[in-house]
Structure formats: C-alpha cells, structure tokens
Amino acid sequence: MAVSRALQGLGLADVSVRYKQTVIGIAWALIRPFLTMVVFTVVFGGIARLPSDGSAPYALMVFAGLLPWAFFSAALADASGSLVSNANLISKVYFPRLIVPTASVIVAFVDFLISFAILAAMMAWYRFMPGPQLLLLPVFIVIAFLGASARPCGSRRST
C-alpha cells in the first residue's frame, strides 16, 4: 500500500513538473510529436520521396511508427536519468529503488497516451481503419514499460 502511494506520488510530481516547466504547458505534449511527424513527412515523404507501402497516408504511417519509438526512447532516457537526479532521496530513505525509474516511465506513458489520442484523431481525419496489428500495441507497450523501468520479466525483487 505504501509502495503504491509512493509510486503514485512520484509519478504525479513528475507529470506536474514536466508540464509546469514549459511555457506552453501540456500543449507541448501535443505539439512535439506532431512537429516531429511533420518534419519526417516533409523530409522522407516529400524531399527523399520514400514510398509508403500499403494504403495508409504517409503522415499517418510516420506518426504511427513514431509513437512506440518515442515512448520507449523517452521512457528509457527519463528512467536512466531519474536515479541520478533522485540520488539524495534514494540514499536517505529506504524504499524499493525501482519506484523512481518506474515513476519516470509513467510520465513517458502519459505522453504516449496523449500522442495516441492524436493518432486516433488523425485516423478519423484520414478515414483510415487500422488492421489487426493494432492489437499487438499493448504487448509492445508492456515490454517497453518493463524494459525502460529496468525490471526484468518475472522478477519479484524490487530493491
């Protein structure tokens, strides 16, 4: 019970700090993936003229590919930096050490959910219905979450 409360507290603190430190706040979570998609679409779809196999529009294909990668990349970077940035908390108080990187991964997951809502809106805009491969996305997210938070599958030790 205390562990889940600590995880919730650290996660909420990380989320609020992330969005309060930027001038535009939570809009940054909307703008960043969208601008990345625009740059990739212009560079690879427009300038380089790389083909998109299948029926998906190029911008939609790029955004769908960026989502899982952006989640894993941000989660891994934030989790690895969280131990260093919270060194004084870890050295002074006894609690399961995996709470700190897991809380950082939760922040990346919130960003992923916001970006996923953008993807759903883009699919509706383009009138594109995803295939059954979308059912594998939760499996990837669980694997990425566990991999980024440095918790091996099947491990019961949390210190």
Side-chain angles (χ1 to χ4, degrees):
M1 183 74 165
V3 172
S4 66
R5 216 173 311 145
L7 179 62
Q8 182 182 14
L10 280 172
L12 287 174
D14 285 350
V15 168
S16 73
V17 164
R18 171 170 286 186
Y19 296 123
K20 285 184 180 176
Q21 286 184 347
T22 61
V23 175
I24 54 178
I26 199 152
W28 180 245
L30 299 169
I31 294 170
R32 186 177 52 169
F34 186 75
L35 287 178
T36 304
M37 182 263 310
V38 168
V39 168
F40 272 61
T41 301
V42 168
V43 171
F44 295 117
I47 297 172
R49 303 226 183 258
L50 294 177
S52 66
D53 296 336
S55 62
Y58 199 83
L60 191 60
M61 181 192 71
V62 167
F63 197 74
L66 280 174
L67 270 182
W69 168 249
F71 168 65
F72 181 71
S73 173
L76 190 60
D78 292 349
S80 60
S82 69
L83 294 173
V84 174
S85 64
N86 291 309
N88 55 357
L89 175 67
I90 292 171
S91 63
K92 291 182 181 176
V93 180
Y94 176 77
F95 63 95
R97 304 303 190 242
L98 280 176
I99 288 177
V100 175
T102 303
S104 296
V105 173
I106 288 172
V107 175
F109 185 67
V110 169
D111 285 347
F112 172 80
L113 290 176
I114 293 169
S115 297
F116 192 77
I118 295 172
L119 177 64
M122 286 177 64
M123 285 182 176
W125 173 264
Y126 284 112
R127 293 185 176 109
F128 183 80
M129 186 66 178
Q133 298 87 351
L134 188 67
L135 297 173
L136 292 175
L137 184 62
V139 173
F140 172 79
I141 294 303
V142 168
I143 292 170
F145 195 100
L146 293 175
S149 63
R151 183 177 184 110
C153 295
S155 174
R156 292 191 175 259
R157 250 187 97 122
S158 60
T159 58

